[in-house]
Amino acid sequence: CYEDGDDTCEIDDTALHGVSFHALPGQTVAIVGQTGSGKSSLVSLTARFYEVHHGAVLIDDHDVREVTQHDLRERIGYIPQTGILFSGTIESNLRYGDGRASAESVREAVEIAQASDFVFERPEGLSAEIAQGGSNVSGGQKQRLAIARALAKDPPIYIFDDSFSALDFRTESALRAALERRTRAATVLIVTQRVSTVKTADQIIVLEEGEIVGKGRHEELMDTCETYREIALSQLSLEELV
């Protein structure tokens, strides 16, 4: 729950204004907008990468500023646009969020993240070495491993911060379909510029210059939000958007 009772929910003087919405368990909430509209800034407040200066971010009615960062981040699986990997093995990277994750959970996470093709086809499998920063895997592979790491953690809240940008359309579609089944009970926040990614979201938040200019489902926003409609039509044909 993001509440802004002071007309300004800010990272600096101009980042976000008048932002208020609820994201419920079992819901997928997408946040869209042009570059610089405040999408990543908004979800960064959830994990307290920045502090809210006015208003509040609430999780289960608790202000995120009133719990420890460790306890807060235990409840969040955060996947940034550029996946971060560490030197070690694929398995050690996937267990970084939860060292107690079962072998079955790790394997399932790899499959959901559409990483099986380059993980299990190697002779070493999960024991394959990862260089510092993931320099020995491609950008798309790095993103999929970062997604798998969050899935192995199995948190109640997922934040995908433009996490599908390095994936081709087919891989992303397969990943999102599998992801929907795995995260059915979780709260999922997706930051993206791709309208195809958010068409089936339960709620879409449209940001423009740090303010919400539209809120609703895809079909509703196509009729009521000019900003969303312009973004959508710049990417897909009208037939594809129906």
Side-chain angles (χ1 to χ4, degrees), residues 114 167-177 194:
Q114 309 303 301
L167 306 181
D168 61 70
F169 180 77
R170 176 180 291 183
T171 301
E172 182 191 346
S173 296
L175 193 156
R176 285 192 287 110
R194 292 181 180 178

Side-chain angles (χ1 to χ4, degrees), residues 69-126:
Q69 289 193 351
H70 176 270
D71 289 345
L72 173 64
R73 291 172 185 171
E74 280 288 294
R75 298 177 58 80
I76 296 173
Y78 175 75
I79 308 96
Q81 180 176 7
T82 303
I84 299 172
L85 299 179
F86 308 97
S87 58
T89 65
I90 290 177
E91 185 171 13
S92 68
N93 271 274
L94 298 188
R95 291 183 180 277
Y96 187 80
D98 182 2
R100 298 167 298 177
S102 67
E104 181 183 356
S105 179
V106 169
R107 187 177 187 89
E108 183 183 12
V110 171
E111 292 171 352
I112 293 171
Q114 309 303 301
S116 298
D117 60 340
F118 67 89
V119 173
F120 298 128
E121 288 181 4
R122 299 185 183 195
E124 313 98 309
L126 290 168

Side-chain angles (χ1 to χ4, degrees), residues 1-3 21-30 58-61 75 156-158 183-189 201-203 205:
C1 174
Y2 298 74
E3 295 182 349
F21 69 93
H22 290 78
L24 303 177
Q27 280 193 341
T28 295
V29 177
L58 307 178
I59 295 180
D60 293 336
D61 293 326
R75 298 177 58 80
I157 300 169
Y158 289 88
T183 62
R184 192 164 291 164
T187 301
V188 179
L189 302 178
D202 299 292
Q203 182 180 192
I205 307 297

